[in-house]
Amino acid sequence: MTSIENMSQLEEYYTYRYNEAERFDANLKGQLERQRMREFLARYLPSPPAAIADIGGGPGAHAAWLQAEGYDVRLLDPLERHVAEARDAGVNAVRGESRHLPWDDNSFDAVLMGGPMYHLRTQFSRGEALREAARVLLPGGFIFVTAINRAANLVGSALANTFQERRAVVRQILAEGYSPDNDRLVMTTYHSVSQLRSELSQVATNIDIHGLTGPGGWLAVLIDAHFQDQVLPPSLAAPDPLQTALESSRVADQYPELVHTSSLLLAVGRCG
């Protein structure tokens, strides 16, 4: 997923600081992201038992769901912990690196790429990973690429009233897509919408870019950050905030210019 000299930082982060296996259940934003991803996958994927590669698939949350839906799924991740957790979930998982996939050409109907796009630091490295993903796809196969919006830190720090203390980091991420002083996510690159489209266009055509969490994601961030261990006030408790987040983000899908309001971006293209 990234260069050898950075692997120790990723292992330390995902082993001791962050439990990826709990991400989709631990808070409202994770539940929103999981449901939205399932909706987009259902929109684009061919019918089961199509073959799907989940590159950087972590502990296998998406892979396990797809497998239960009848798909033939193979997962690859660079971290032994994630591979072990995916296997425990019944997923066919191997340890490996996104720029050197262990699979033959034209092996899959679709490829999912999450972590590689924001843990690979350089555009060249991300291009290598995208070309490898395209190599293992059948002609006309779909590639799904997840990226983090450059604007996410700006909006998030404003909501949390931490912008003034994080000003330098936020400005650097907005300008360059990366800050070495960012302590929120280790070794993380952030994309603009145009940058994501440009990078994916190296290997794919007919590219759609969606706001994965959409504007509703910010309601989830607000609740997760400030009410995680508290009873929600009536104005936030009803109606169900997850449904509010989902429905508002679905409305935003009808207006392409609103993709910029989402903290997470999902690009979908066809290769070959």
Side-chain angles (χ1 to χ4, degrees):
M1 182 186 288
T2 189
S3 58
I4 296 299
E5 63 267 24
N6 297 327
M7 184 58 69
S8 61
Q9 292 179 266
L10 286 179
E11 289 178 338
E12 188 275 335
Y13 179 79
Y14 284 108
T15 300
Y16 301 108
R17 296 173 54 190
Y18 189 79
N19 187 349
E20 178 72 14
E22 296 180 350
R23 181 160 69 90
F24 293 119
D25 294 308
N27 55 39
L28 187 62
K29 184 181 178 185
Q31 295 169 45
L32 172 66
E33 180 185 344
R34 175 173 56 196
Q35 180 61 33
R36 291 276 288 169
M37 179 62 83
R38 290 180 178 182
E39 291 175 3
F40 284 118
L41 291 174
R43 181 188 305 184
Y44 287 98
L45 285 177
S47 300
I52 300 175
D54 191 355
I55 302 171
H62 297 314
W65 174 74
L66 287 166
Q67 193 166 277
E69 293 293 303
Y71 288 97
D72 177 14
V73 185
R74 300 290 183 272
L75 181 146
L76 177 140
D77 197 89
L79 302 180
E80 186 58 45
R81 174 184 180 176
H82 289 170
V83 171
E85 290 171 333
R87 288 172 176 168
D88 287 344
V91 174
N92 185 330
V94 296
R95 188 176 186 184
E97 210 266 330
S98 60
R99 292 171 293 176
H100 306 285
L101 299 178
W103 304 307
D104 293 336
D105 296 358
N106 306 324
S107 297
F108 297 95
D109 298 284
V111 166
L112 313 185
M113 286 185 65
M117 289 302 282
Y118 43 86
H119 284 320
L120 285 170
R121 275 287 300 114
T122 68
Q123 183 175 336
F124 179 81
S125 294
R126 294 191 297 274
E128 286 184 307
L130 287 168
R131 286 188 290 274
E132 269 291 89
R135 177 184 66 77
V136 302
L137 267 175
L138 288 160
F142 283 100
I143 180 170
F144 298 80
V145 175
T146 307
I148 307 176
N149 192 343
R150 286 194 187 194
N153 270 268
L154 175 62
V155 179
S157 64
L159 281 175
N161 197 23
T162 59
F163 173 73
Q164 295 187 60
E165 65 187 75
R166 288 179 52 80
R167 182 191 304 267
V169 169
V170 170
R171 290 178 67 90
Q172 189 169 22
I173 290 172
L174 286 170
E176 304 172 23
Y178 177 78
S179 172
D181 299 318
N182 180 24
D183 61 349
R184 301 304 169 91
L185 285 172
V186 67
M187 297 303 302
T188 300
T189 295
Y190 299 77
H191 282 73
S192 66
V193 173
S194 61
Q195 175 191 5
L196 179 59
R197 184 182 298 277
S198 175
E199 292 186 8
L200 186 54
S201 68
Q202 298 176 55
V203 300
T205 58
N206 301 319
I207 298 169
D208 297 324
I209 298 185
H210 304 283
L212 181 55
T213 47
W218 296 112
L219 172 62
V221 168
L222 176 68
I223 289 175
D224 292 341
H226 299 287
F227 297 96
Q228 190 170 28
D229 299 317
Q230 303 178 38
V231 176
L232 290 177
S235 61
L236 290 178
D240 180 1
L242 177 58
Q243 292 307 310
T244 297
L246 282 167
E247 291 174 21
S248 64
S249 294
R250 290 167 184 156
V251 168
D253 290 338
Q254 302 169 37
Y255 301 90
E257 65 273 18
L258 293 182
V259 68
H260 298 276
T261 66
S262 181
S263 65
L264 290 178
L265 305 172
L266 175 67
V268 186
R270 300 194 80 156
C271 297

